[in-house]
Every structure is written in structure tokens, then in C-alpha cells.
Amino acid sequence: MSHCALHISGARLQYVSELMEIYVTRFSAWALAKNALTGNKGWTNQWRKPDPKPEYDAIIVGGGGHGLATAYYLAKEHGMRNIAVLEKGWIGGGNVGRNTTIVRSNYELRHNALFYEHSMKLWEGLSRELNYNVMFSQRGVLNLAHSPEELDAHAIRGNAMRLNGVDAELLDRDEVQKFVPQLDMSRDTRFPVHGGLLQPRAGTARHDAIAWGFARAADKLGVDIIENCQVTGFLKDGDQIIGVKTSRGEIKAKKTAVAVAGSTSEVMRLAGIKKLPIESHVLQAFVTEGLKPAVNTVVTGGGGHFYMSQSDKGGLVFGGEIDKYNSYAQRGNLPVVEDVTTIMLALFPQFAKVRLLRHWGGIMDMSMDGSPIITKGPLPGMYLNAGWCYGGFKATPASGWCFAYTIANDEPHSLNAPFRLDRFSKAYSIDERGAGPWAKLH
Ligand SMILES: Cc1cc2nc3c(=O)[nH]c(=O)nc-3n(C[C@H](O)[C@H](O)[C@H](O)COP(=O)(O)OP(=O)(O)OC[C@H]3O[C@@H](n4cnc5c(N)ncnc54)[C@H](O)[C@@H]3O)c2cc1C
């Protein structure tokens, strides 16, 4: 009798301690309070540091936002658990941690609108889904129009967005002034404001939190996240890809997926794919010293060559165009600094004395039509996710979701079926507002 009572209380104890473990290691008000009272010693590592196994069901090359999201949705939605993400550096060191954090779905072409709107909906539930505050702030994205013709173009895009179920509001000059009072609204400036297109549900998110949140959630589902593991070649059986060679040894895989963004051409060359409709370019980002709250939305202007928001720490975060030459260097050049700051000061002259704190660059995988590639192939056993241009951060959840579907089912979801590689050879390009590397050429 007493033995039985002990047994039950032992099981209960174990149950209680498991519950405690869940509540203390999950992020919650309870875990915060408990750790605050116990010297913050209860937090565990965000993800494990496993050694690579000799073989996996699926390998994802590239531990950026897209690779990590893919691993998470493969495990969560498709029940695959024997998965590894191989990252040559550290999690968050690529573009996922280098971007200007703008999240929007204000696309004109239907395929892009549906895909990015799916992403927006995933963003809206992401903090809860990942149990990680990704600081998604739906403060709106306002595209300024600097001429009546540009306002017409914005109206056409806004109407297309609405037809595709995406929120859009066309603002006249007075409404823009009311929404962003800091803008210079004089009529004789370099960029006079005629109105703007607002997507109210768009905004910004914390880029590191996306990398860490997906990594942590994927790890909890059993995914091995292996940092400092560079893929240096592919294992092949004829044309079939059967795994990878890495700086930490050979690893076999039933399915090998590549999601390396700016390094796509280099990595695919290792598999013998010598030509892709992708060019690598540098894009820079800038951040100023912290200011009191000054700009409460994301503003884009200067003919689309400038975008800016204010971070929660107070810095103005802004960027412009690519540097316009091919490069794999994660740093940019001074002419772009001059171009971007010139537009910024034309729109917001009062920021002339704000000090620039730092600027950096990332390598962009610019596709020739400005739209992404999420596909099975191009070799058997292989899957490719690339071509994100300036806009892959906002795509992260949908990209991972669709890529995971494609890998698990060996066929694309209807959302990413149009983003196949052979669209370039079959003249089915999705030429979104000429957003590829040489916008004026197409
Ligand atoms: C300055 C700048 C501003 C931007 N602003 C925005 C924005 O406001 N909104 C937006 O939506 N998008 C923006 N982007 C684009 C966005 O950041 C990228 O499109 C997106 O992050 C790319 O996907 P990723 O996160 O998977 O890439 P990455 O984080 O670059 O991930 C790819 C990973 O692959 C790894 N890798 C490469 N080669 C190998 C190898 N051989 N073996 C193993 N691993 C390898 C890399 O180390 C890297 O970690 C911006 C980009 C930059 C640079």
C-alpha cells in the first residue's frame, strides 16, 4: 500500500517536473518570473550543438531564415524528424541578420500577391507559433508617389492588391502629410509628394528573432542544426544527389535541399549546375544613432530607391538600391551611401545632423525577373530555393512552408508552382515591376 502511494507520488512528481521544465524553458510570463527570482539560471541553450550524423532523411544546406523555416515546417507540418540544417558560419550571419526588416505583401502580379500574402498571414501568428517574440510590428508601409503618373501606377497596384485580397489604401497628399508629418511636403523639392499607397498590415519584424525563433522551434522538434559546417561538394550516384561533402565529413541524405540565398550560384556549381538565372549583387543597409520616436511607419520613396523605418531602439534603419556590380563581398561602396543619404535628406531634411552609426552589406541572389525560385530539382534528389532579390526576409515563413511542402511531397504547392526554374527557358517569367537586377531592362 505504502509502496503504491510512493509510486503514484513519484509519477506525479515526474509529471510536475516535466510541466515545470516546459513552463520554465518555454518563454512565458511564468518562466520570466521564475527566472527573475532564481538569478536567470533556468534558461537553457536556444538550440543544441549536435555533431552531424552519417545520414539523414533530408538535409538543408544554408541556415538562414529560409533554411531554418523549411526545417521547422518539414518537422511540424510533414512529420519528418531526421533532418539537418548545415550552416557554414553561424545562425543569423547571412542576409537574415543583415536586412532592413520590411515585411509587406504589396505585389501587383497575382502569383506574387498570393504567395506574399500567405507569408503575411503566417507572420501574423508567428510569435505565438514559434513561442518567440519576433517583434512583428504592423505599422504600415507607405510607398510615396512623386508625380501624378507614379500615383496612377500606385492606384493600379493598389487595385490589383485588393482584387487579390490584400489590404491597400491610396492616400492623397494631405492624407500622406497627416500620416507622416515629418516629411518635407514643399512643392519645389527634388521629390515632391503627390500621394502614396499604404499597406496598413505591412511593417517590420526583428530579423535576428526570426533566425533564432525558427532555429529554436526546429531544434525542439528534433532537427539537428549544425553550424560551422560548410558544404564543399555533393555526393552523386550518376545524376542523383545522395548527400553532401562538408568541412565536417560526408553526410548522406535521401533529399538534399539548397537554400543559400546569395551563395546559390557558388553552391550549385559544386553540383555541376554551371548556369542559373541568378546574379549575386551587394545591397547595403544603414542605421543611425538612436532618436526619440520620429517616424511611425515604413516610408519608401525617391522612385523606390529609398526606404526607411525606425527601430525599437530608436535608430533610423534605411537602405536603397543594389551596388550594381556582381560581388560576393558582404560590404558595399561609398557612391551608394551618398545616393541613399541624398534621397533621405531630400525627404526628411531635419535628419541632416543625425549621425550614421554603421552600415553593412549582404549578398543578394537577384533572379532575372525579380521573383523567387522554389522548386524540385534541377537534379534528382535535389531541391532549390533561391532568387530572393531584395525581398526574401518578408518571404521567410511562406518560403519555408512552401519549400517544406515541395520537399515532403515531391511536388510544389499551388502557391509555389509558378516559381519553377524552367519558367525562364519557357518564357513564363513573373516580371514584377522590373524588380530583377537590371530593372530597366525588362
Ligand atoms: C541590406 C539588406 C537589406 C534587405 N532588406 C530587406 C527587407 O527590408 N525586406 C525583405 O523582405 N528582405 C530584405 N532583404 C533580403 C533578405 O534579407 C534575403 O532575401 C533573405 O534573408 C535571404 O534568405 P535567407 O535568410 O535564407 O539568407 P541567408 O541568411 O543569407 O542564409 C543563407 C545561408 O547559407 C549559408 N551558406 C552559404 N554557402 C554555404 C555552404 N557552402 N554551406 C553551408 N552553408 C552555406 C550562409 O552562410 C547563410 O547563412 C535585404 C537584404 C539585405 C542584404
Side-chain angles (χ1 to χ4, degrees), residues 61-67 86-90 93-102 229-231 259-261 263 267 283-285 307 360-365 388-395:
V61 185
H66 293 227
L86 309 181
E87 166 53 47
K88 79 170 172 190
W90 69 95
N95 285 345
V96 68
R98 292 170 181 268
N99 58 71
T100 41
T101 77
I102 301 170
C229 182
Q230 177 166 4
V231 168
V260 293
S263 305
V267 170
L283 181 68
Q284 302 190 53
Y307 36 90
W360 62 89
I363 314 163
M364 317 302 307
D365 39 330
W388 291 103
C389 303
Y390 335 81
F393 178 64
K394 63 184 177 297

Side-chain angles (χ1 to χ4, degrees), residues 74-223:
L74 262 179
K76 159 99 190 316
E77 302 286 332
H78 305 283
M80 285 178 77
R81 295 294 153 103
N82 189 23
I83 307 171
V85 177
L86 309 181
E87 166 53 47
K88 79 170 172 190
W90 69 95
I91 294 303
N95 285 345
V96 68
R98 292 170 181 268
N99 58 71
T100 41
T101 77
I102 301 170
V103 175
R104 58 186 172 85
S105 56
N106 55 358
Y107 283 78
E108 188 168 325
L109 299 185
R110 185 165 172 77
H111 298 318
N112 278 331
L114 296 183
F115 173 78
Y116 284 103
E117 181 56 16
H118 180 60
S119 210
M120 181 67 82
K121 289 194 173 124
L122 291 172
W123 275 104
E124 287 174 334
L126 207 56
S127 290
R128 183 172 290 273
E129 162 101 30
L130 300 179
N131 179 230
Y132 208 104
N133 184 1
V134 299
M135 297 168 76
F136 183 42
S137 160
Q138 292 178 288
R139 60 184 71 179
V141 168
L142 174 66
N143 306 135
L144 297 174
H146 299 302
S147 66
E149 293 74 21
E150 198 178 6
L151 193 57
D152 280 352
H154 282 351
I156 292 169
R157 180 143 61 106
N159 285 333
M161 287 164 64
R162 283 181 168 214
L163 287 172
N164 285 318
V166 182
D167 58 315
E169 285 174 26
L170 197 67
L171 306 190
D172 64 22
R173 211 180 116 78
D174 293 342
E175 287 166 327
V176 168
Q177 179 153 40
K178 213 166 154 196
F179 191 52
V180 190
Q182 301 82 358
L183 267 172
D184 181 359
M185 298 296 284
S186 339
R187 293 198 186 263
D188 57 352
T189 58
R190 168 73 183 83
F191 295 109
V193 176
H194 287 254
L197 181 64
L198 174 69
Q199 186 185 11
R201 283 163 61 243
T204 58
R206 172 84 202 272
H207 44 20
D208 294 322
I210 273 297
W212 301 333
F214 270 120
R216 179 173 181 269
D219 173 88
K220 285 264 175 299
L221 293 173
V223 173

Side-chain angles (χ1 to χ4, degrees), residues 389-408:
C389 303
Y390 335 81
F393 178 64
K394 63 184 177 297
T396 307
S399 163
W401 193 92
C402 289
F403 201 32
Y405 184 101
T406 307
I407 296 166

Side-chain angles (χ1 to χ4, degrees), residues 6-20:
L6 254 179
H7 180 73
I8 290 167
S9 68
R12 274 202 184 140
L13 258 177
Q14 190 181 341
Y15 176 67
V16 170
S17 95
E18 272 170 16
L19 261 185
M20 291 281 283

Side-chain angles (χ1 to χ4, degrees), residues 134-416:
V134 299
M135 297 168 76
F136 183 42
S137 160
Q138 292 178 288
R139 60 184 71 179
V141 168
L142 174 66
N143 306 135
L144 297 174
H146 299 302
S147 66
E149 293 74 21
E150 198 178 6
L151 193 57
D152 280 352
H154 282 351
I156 292 169
R157 180 143 61 106
N159 285 333
M161 287 164 64
R162 283 181 168 214
L163 287 172
N164 285 318
V166 182
D167 58 315
E169 285 174 26
L170 197 67
L171 306 190
D172 64 22
R173 211 180 116 78
D174 293 342
E175 287 166 327
V176 168
Q177 179 153 40
K178 213 166 154 196
F179 191 52
V180 190
Q182 301 82 358
L183 267 172
D184 181 359
M185 298 296 284
S186 339
R187 293 198 186 263
D188 57 352
T189 58
R190 168 73 183 83
F191 295 109
V193 176
H194 287 254
L197 181 64
L198 174 69
Q199 186 185 11
R201 283 163 61 243
T204 58
R206 172 84 202 272
H207 44 20
D208 294 322
I210 273 297
W212 301 333
F214 270 120
R216 179 173 181 269
D219 173 88
K220 285 264 175 299
L221 293 173
V223 173
D224 282 357
I225 294 168
I226 304 167
E227 291 166 89
N228 300 311
C229 182
Q230 177 166 4
V231 168
T232 54
F234 287 84
L235 301 173
K236 279 181 162 184
D237 180 3
D239 258 358
Q240 177 91 19
I241 300 291
I242 55 165
V244 288
K245 297 176 191 165
T246 79
S247 51
R248 297 178 66 175
E250 293 188 353
I251 309 173
K252 289 201 167 152
K254 296 188 182 79
K255 301 185 177 206
T256 302
V258 175
V260 293
S263 305
T264 301
S265 308
E266 282 186 320
V267 170
M268 293 301 283
R269 203 171 298 128
L270 300 173
I273 305 294
K274 299 213 171 72
K275 269 197 168 177
L276 282 172
I278 289 179
E279 286 186 8
S280 290
H281 286 256
V282 184
L283 181 68
Q284 302 190 53
F286 309 84
V287 65
T288 70
E289 60 187 329
L291 306 176
K292 287 189 175 170
V295 184
N296 62 352
T297 186
V298 181
V299 180
T300 84
H305 301 315
F306 171 77
Y307 36 90
M308 185 178 80
S309 64
Q310 187 169 18
S311 79
D312 292 342
K313 282 196 282 183
L316 299 172
V317 180
F318 58 100
E321 275 243 74
I322 49 179
D323 272 29
K324 295 236 171 69
Y325 56 87
N326 298 139
S327 173
Y328 287 107
Q330 294 195 113
R331 61 174 185 275
N333 275 319
L334 290 172
V336 170
V337 181
E338 194 176 349
D339 285 354
V340 172
T341 47
T342 305
I343 302 176
M344 177 193 192
L345 295 185
L347 294 171
F348 297 96
Q350 70 272 45
F351 296 142
K353 289 197 174 153
V354 177
R355 279 170 295 192
L356 195 61
L357 210 58
R358 55 185 184 271
H359 71 111
W360 62 89
I363 314 163
M364 317 302 307
D365 39 330
M366 305 297 294
S367 70
M368 289 302 120
D369 61 357
S371 297
I373 297 160
I374 310 176
T375 191
K376 188 180 167 190
L379 295 175
M382 184 181 235
Y383 305 80
L384 177 64
N385 174 312
W388 291 103
C389 303
Y390 335 81
F393 178 64
K394 63 184 177 297
T396 307
S399 163
W401 193 92
C402 289
F403 201 32
Y405 184 101
T406 307
I407 296 166
N409 296 296
D410 271 318
E411 60 179 22
H413 189 271
S414 59
L415 281 170
N416 66 300

